[in-house]
Structures are given as C-alpha cells and as structure tokens.
Amino acid sequence: MLLKDKVAIITGGAKGIGRGMALKFAEEGCTVAIADIAIKEAEEAVDEIKKKGGNGIAIKCDVTSGQQVGDAVDKVVKKYGKIDILVNNAGAIAAHVPIEDLTEESWDKVLALNLKSDFLFCKYVVPHMKKKKYGKIINLSSIGAVQPPAHEIHYNTAKAGVIGFTTDLANALAPLNINVNCILPGPIRTSFYDHNIGSMTEEDKDKFFTRLGKKVPMQRVGTPEDMAGAALFLASELSAYITGQALYVAGGLPLLPPAPPPSSLAK
Ligand code: NAP
C-alpha cells in the first residue's frame, strides 16, 4: 500500500475529482478527512470508504473562511494526531463574463474559492507538517491557467496564481522534507460543468463531453480516476524528489489535438 498509516485532508472531496482522490487514497491505506460544504455527499463518500474497509471523516467546511479552515485542521489533528497529506482541491468555475461586466464581488468570490483557500489551508496545516518534518501538499490548478478560454479571467487568474503559490511554498518548505506540487487538469467529467449543462438530459451530457473530448489530443475528457492516479503519485514516496512542479493531467493538453497532415491543407 502506497499510503499506509498516512492521514490526508482533501478539500472538496465530496464530489468529482476530490471524491475520486479520497477513494483512491483510502484504498492505499490512508485515513481521509473530507472538508467540503456539501456535507451530505461528503458523509456518503466517507461511508463508501468505510464499507470498503477504509477510514475517514467528513467535516463541513467553507474553504474560504479562515475560521472554518482553522477549526477543520484542529479537528483532524485532535482526532488523528497528524496531517501527512493536504490536497487543496475545492474550487469552481464561474460564468463567462467580459471584463467590463465582471463585478468586484464576483472577482473576490472566485479568487477566494480558487486561490485564497489554498493559502488558508497551508497556513494552518504547514505548522503540523513542520513539526513532523514530513508533508505532501497538492494544489489543484487548471489547464485554464496556461491555455485560458476567453472571459473566465477571474477563474484563470486564480488558477495561474495557484502555480505561483505552489512554486514559492515548495521552495520555502523543501529543506523540511515537505513537497509542494500542483496539478493542472484538462476537462474532467464532473459536476464542475453543471453551470453550463446541469439541466441537460444524460444523453445530451454524453454528447457534450464527447464534443469536448475532441478538443483534447487523446480525444476524450478525463475521469476522476485519471486524476486520482496522478494525485496518488504526488502524495506517495514515488515522488519523493519532486517539488515545485506543475503536472498536466490533461490528455496531452496544452498540445493541440492532432492536426491534419500539411498536404491535406494544401488542397
Ligand atoms: P466538482 O465536481 O464541482 O467538486 C467540487 C467540490 O468542491 C464540490 O463538492 C463542491 O461543493 C465543493 N466546494 C465548492 N465550494 C466550496 C467551498 N467554498 N468550500 C468547500 N467546498 C466547496 O468539481 P471538480 O471538477 O471535482 O473540481 C475539483 C478541482 O479541479 C477544482 O479546483 C477545479 O477548479 C479543478 N479543475 C476541474 C476541471 C474539470 O474539468 N472538472 C478542470 C480544471 C480544473 P458544491 O458542489 O456543493 O458547490
């Protein structure tokens, strides 16, 4: 088992990518604390972990609140005595808006959820990792940080900030045996897209994700399991000598999908 006797906090682990990571980490012997506002789904994920013989706890936490983050970290340390792994995964995209229509309130909200939350969790978790001289921190950025679709400037700015945050913290914590890396997912099939397609039938959703997959060199969108494998690598000793890196888990993006041969363009 790659994470035997480890303790992890995974934010936003009730659904989607975070849930995939929580299940995978638990399978590998890790105790998982899921910190999420969606407490019902977080409890269901923990029930699933326990049914499979694993261990975990669901904690209701709004990751944008310093008070709630501090309380969540205290709760985990009181219960399990340490935190070995932190995955800053909670995040969400916002509606496409041209900059002149983007409100100050929306900018602040999106930056708080997708960037400030990483700072808050690291602020409260790092002292515990320093004491043990051990830690693995994984932050979720996005392909949008480097290949941004237009009019998501608040989200893409936050996710680009996650890369800067990761490299700075990695440098500061490297002498203390604490690895800090980030993952840049490509399109992954989760409720992340619900703001666009939430009301569609399952059949239309399938069509949407098939079309989206065609924009990816590997010709498909990713799954939470694809993401969980990468996170497991970064959370385990397999990546002991890797820190400050941005790992694309994006089916080949930011490469362009395979282009037709130049000869066909000449016709
Ligand atoms: P998801 O399926 O929507 O899951 C996100 C989870 O975070 C949900 O349980 C959500 O609860 C929770 N959450 C939202 N706001 C929160 C808050 N303030 N405090 C605590 N928890 C909160 O999204 P996902 O696709 O798994 O995304 C995970 C991460 O990957 C995000 O950082 C996202 O930006 C990044 N990412 C995803 C994709 C993709 O294609 N899916 C691509 C690039 C990057 P509610 O549902 O109740 O709001």
Side-chain angles (χ1 to χ4, degrees):
M1 283 191 178
L2 288 172
L3 303 181
K4 193 167 167 5
D5 299 330
K6 300 291 189 229
V7 176
I9 296 181
I10 302 181
T11 72
K15 298 181 193 165
I17 292 171
R19 189 180 180 120
M21 291 175 181
L23 294 171
K24 173 61 85 183
F25 283 18
E27 258 174 52
E28 292 291 333
C30 188
T31 295
V32 180
I34 294 179
D36 203 304
I37 41 169
I39 189 64
K40 187 172 153 283
E41 289 86 349
E43 281 165 352
E44 285 166 9
V46 170
D47 285 348
E48 194 176 339
I49 285 171
K50 288 185 175 165
K51 264 188 213 135
K52 291 179 176 165
N55 194 16
I57 182 178
I59 301 172
K60 188 169 168 63
C61 173
D62 177 346
V63 297
T64 66
S65 154
Q67 179 70 51
Q68 293 188 34
V69 171
D71 290 350
V73 171
D74 281 353
K75 196 166 181 176
V76 176
V77 174
K78 272 201 193 104
K79 194 166 169 66
Y80 301 116
K82 61 173 184 169
I83 299 163
D84 301 297
I85 300 160
L86 167 65
V87 186
N88 283 312
N89 164 77
I93 201 156
H96 294 211
V97 190
I99 195 159
E100 61 273 25
D101 297 332
L102 181 56
T103 62
E104 213 177 314
E105 189 195 3
S106 175
W107 174 270
D108 288 345
K109 208 171 148 197
V110 170
L111 270 282
L113 174 57
N114 291 286
L115 179 59
K116 181 183 153 191
S117 58
D118 293 15
F119 152 65
L120 290 174
F121 261 97
C122 288
K123 175 178 164 61
Y124 289 105
V125 166
V126 164
H128 298 289
M129 290 182 166
K130 279 186 172 176
K131 267 190 229 154
K132 303 270 178 194
K133 286 216 166 32
Y134 184 89
K136 307 277 185 187
I137 298 173
I138 302 165
N139 301 318
L140 270 285
S141 174
S142 168
I143 192 72
V146 292
Q147 200 183 63
H151 303 318
E152 290 169 1
I153 195 166
H154 38 357
Y155 177 76
N156 292 319
T157 301
K159 292 302 190 183
V162 171
I163 301 175
F165 177 82
T166 298
T167 48
D168 186 291
L169 193 63
N171 209 0
L173 300 181
L176 297 163
N177 194 35
I178 302 171
N179 306 55
V180 189
N181 292 290
C182 65
I183 296 179
L184 281 67
I188 312 297
R189 187 169 180 162
T190 68
S191 54
F192 179 81
Y193 291 94
D194 278 2
H195 69 289
N196 276 328
I197 62 162
S199 57
M200 280 185 186
T201 63
E202 281 308 304
E203 200 186 341
D204 284 343
K205 283 184 187 174
D206 287 346
K207 286 183 191 155
F208 168 84
F209 284 112
T210 302
R211 283 195 302 274
L212 192 56
K214 297 291 174 218
K215 299 186 185 307
V216 177
M218 283 189 168
Q219 300 288 288
R220 67 169 177 90
V221 297
T223 63
E225 293 71 32
D226 291 322
M227 300 300 302
L232 175 61
F233 169 67
L234 292 176
S236 75
E237 286 314 296
L238 295 175
S239 60
Y241 201 50
I242 298 176
T243 197
Q245 301 305 304
L247 177 64
Y248 293 87
V249 185
L253 293 172
L255 301 173
L256 295 170
S263 55
S264 73
L265 297 175
K267 284 174 200 159

